[in-house]
Every structure is written in structure tokens, then in C-alpha cells.
Amino acid sequence: VALGILVAERFRAHGTLRTTWLGAPIALGLVFTLFEWLPLPRALVHLLQPVGLSKAQWVTSLLPDDARASVRSVLSLDPPETAFAALRRAGALALFIVVAHTCRRRRARDLAYRFVLATGALMFAVALGHQLLHVNGAWGRFTMKTAYFYAPMVNPNQLARLFGAVALVCAARAMAVRSRMELLWCTGVAVCCGAGVFLTLSRGAMLAFVAGGVMLGFLLWRERREPSDTDVVSKTADAPDRSSSSSSASSSSSSSPSSAAAAAASSARASGALLRAATAQIAIVAAVALGLFLAREMVVKEATSLEHETIETSKLALYKPALSLLSDYGRVGVGNNAFGVGSYM
């Protein structure tokens, strides 16, 4: 709906809809998902996924003739879930286009960051409230594996992903804001949501969050080592001209206060940027430390239980037959939600 309103407004104003290529992975995912879901010639399905086609034929052979005739020849091993995945990707792409176009204005961009900040704080408050009030399961209705945080979303893995994304966004935002109050808010939400990743006991999300924090630290370290263009220009401007140093002493004395003020302003900006970068890194480290401190026993227990996982208890059991899955479905993959194929390996 928002995308339709935006397109109509741009059409009425005879303007263009501007976005960025960062949404290309979402668009490619949507195209590939639709390709898996749409009916294809049986010869093409046999070429791209011979093992999946043979299993589909074995299953459909048990059906009556009229039901077998209604089964479409598709690449997806779970067509209903693939259809829902296509809808999710279409919604994500529409949201990305609207946000990318709207946030070209600074005011809208600041509001978007504050919306993410408020969302993370609200999610952490709801999750902490469930724990403090001893609510069994998300909203008292949906129970899954034992975890410290399991709300507001039903699936702790999805909750951990959102916690990690909000934490990294807030940590990155802390390096760009100039208001101390907003810096404190971004740092606080980054620490809380980063700790929330570990309190969900989602092993994949823990690993992804730590990897993202290490990558962010590496990029900041690399940026500090490379001199910026402004530093090079300032150093060039401040360098004494040895060939004409003895001429026009009065002009150099009059320009010295302005150059000193420029140097002081440049030094203040550099120290402020360094402080904000250090604050972001400290926030990520503090989030990891806080999460491990609060849930260290459960995290260790989850990490040591990998050898005893089964297909009924965890999707991590699919990593054992991964080579067989790669050999059988290496051309196009198993698709969305096709975890059941691993139980037959």
C-alpha cells in the first residue's frame, strides 16, 4: 500500500522514484523464489532437480488419478511455504524501496533511525517483562525451548536475528550522531539488544552477531589507519613554503589565527569521531559480555549439545547430511522450509 501511494505521488508530481542497488539481493531472491514456485516443463525440472522430481513422483504415485493430475511440476519441495516466502520477499522489497526513497531527506532518515531505536527498546522491554513476570512462553500461549528471552516473537531464532540487527544498527548510528543524549540512547539500546541475542540462546544468531561486531571493528580500525582527504589537505595547507617564507611576514601573521582555529576544529572533529567509534566498539563488547554473564551456563549447555541433536529437536541436525544434500540438490537447492528432506538421508 505504501509503495502504491509513493508511486502514485511520484507520478502525479512527474518525479522519479529513486532507490539504491542495496536492494538487489532482495529482488534477486524474489525472482528466484517465484521461479521455484511457478510451473515448469517436466524436462526442465528433471534437469535442474532430478532427485526432487523422483521423490515427488513417488509421493504422487500414492494419490488417486484425479488428485495426481492437479499436482504441478515445480522445483519447490514445499510449494505453500515457497508462496509465502515470495509474499514476504515482495513485502520486504516494497518496504525497502519506500524507505530508501523517503530517507533521502535528512529529517526522514533521522526519524527512521529513531523508529528502529524505539523498536529495539520496546522489544527488550517486552522480553524482560515476560521474564520478570514469569510468563510461560511468548504472551503466555506459545512455548518453545528453554530460553531467557522468548517474546515478543514466538520463534526465539527470529527474535535473536532482530535483536542482532537492531544492536548493530544502533552501534553504527552511535558513530554518526552529534547529540550526547542520542548517543547514550543508541549505545544503551545496542548493549541491551546485543545481550538479548545471547539471552535467546540462538546459536546461529550468537555467531552472526559476534562476526558482525568483529567486522565492524575491523572496518573502523582500517578507516583510522587510512588518512582522510581532509587530513591530507590540511597538512598540505599547513606545510611551510620554504621558497617564500621570508616574504610577506605581515600576511602570515594575520593568517596564523585562522589556521590555528581550523587546526583546532579539525582536531576536535577527529577526537569526537574517535570517541564515537570507540563507544560503538565498547557497546558491542559490553553486549557480548553482558549476555555471556547472564546466560553463561545455558550458552555453554547449548554449545555442547550439538552432538546430540536430532531432526525432531533442532535444525542443526541437518548439517550432518549436508554433503548428501549438496550432491542431490546442488543445482537449485532445497528451497524454503524443506527441512524434511534431511531426515531421509
Side-chain angles (χ1 to χ4, degrees):
V1 175
L3 180 61
I5 295 175
L6 179 61
V7 171
E9 189 272 334
R10 290 285 87 195
F11 180 78
R12 183 180 58 85
H14 301 285
T16 57
L17 186 63
R18 298 181 179 181
T19 182
T20 174
W21 285 103
L22 293 176
I26 305 177
L28 291 176
L30 175 60
V31 171
F32 187 75
T33 303
L34 290 175
F35 179 73
E36 280 192 328
W37 182 71
L38 294 176
L40 298 173
R42 188 173 297 272
L44 182 59
V45 176
H46 178 73
L47 177 64
L48 296 177
Q49 200 175 73
V51 177
L53 179 61
S54 63
K55 289 186 177 181
Q57 290 177 345
W58 177 79
V59 173
T60 55
S61 64
L62 306 176
L63 300 175
D65 294 338
D66 54 347
R68 190 186 311 124
S70 63
V71 177
R72 302 182 304 172
S73 177
V74 295
L75 290 173
S76 174
L77 300 177
D78 192 346
E81 177 61 27
T82 304
F84 283 120
L87 291 177
R88 290 195 299 267
R89 285 172 173 81
L93 182 61
L95 178 63
F96 178 86
I97 294 174
V98 171
V99 172
H101 179 82
T102 306
C103 290
R104 295 176 66 87
R105 297 186 297 270
R106 182 175 180 179
R107 177 179 175 82
R109 187 164 58 249
D110 292 340
L111 289 176
Y113 277 117
R114 291 173 183 174
F115 176 78
V116 174
L117 183 72
T119 301
L122 181 61
M123 286 175 49
F124 184 83
V126 171
L128 183 61
H130 273 68
Q131 186 69 17
L132 295 178
L133 297 177
H134 304 287
V135 179
N136 185 19
W139 309 107
R141 297 178 60 87
F142 308 99
T143 58
M144 292 188 68
K145 67 177 184 179
T146 303
Y148 288 96
F149 280 180
Y150 39 79
M153 305 182 71
V154 179
N155 192 335
N157 293 322
Q158 298 176 359
L159 177 63
R161 293 179 203 169
L162 201 52
F163 268 143
V166 172
L168 292 177
V169 168
C170 290
R173 178 62 177 170
M175 297 184 296
V177 296
R178 298 185 179 276
S179 172
R180 291 186 178 181
M181 182 59 65
E182 192 170 358
L183 175 64
L184 292 177
W185 272 104
C186 290
T187 305
V189 173
V191 172
C192 293
C193 291
V197 173
F198 292 83
L199 295 177
T200 59
L201 303 180
S202 176
R203 290 165 289 200
M206 295 179 204
L207 180 61
F209 180 73
V210 172
V214 171
M215 181 61 68
L216 179 60
F218 171 75
L219 293 177
L220 293 175
W221 172 79
R222 181 182 176 184
E223 183 180 359
R224 286 201 301 269
R225 289 195 57 178
E226 295 179 355
S228 61
D229 296 338
T230 55
D231 295 337
V232 175
V233 172
S234 62
K235 289 180 180 179
T236 305
D238 293 339
D241 189 1
R242 297 178 181 178
S243 61
S244 59
S245 59
S246 57
S247 60
S248 64
S250 60
S251 61
S252 62
S253 62
S254 62
S255 62
S256 58
S258 60
S259 61
S266 177
S267 177
R269 287 194 299 268
S271 61
L274 181 62
L275 177 61
R276 289 191 294 269
T279 302
Q281 296 181 66
I282 292 173
I284 294 177
V285 174
V288 175
L290 180 62
L292 291 178
F293 175 76
L294 295 176
R296 57 188 181 277
E297 296 181 359
M298 295 296 296
V299 169
V300 172
K301 182 179 178 181
E302 288 288 324
T304 55
S305 63
L306 297 179
E307 299 180 357
H308 308 289
E309 296 287 357
T310 62
I311 191 63
E312 291 81 10
T313 58
S314 175
K315 290 174 287 189
L316 281 174
L318 294 176
Y319 287 101
K320 296 180 180 179
L323 294 178
S324 299
L325 291 173
L326 181 62
S327 176
D328 295 340
Y329 303 93
R331 294 182 178 90
V332 293
V334 296
N336 295 276
N337 203 38
F339 301 111
V341 297
S343 60
Y344 301 104
M345 295 295 175

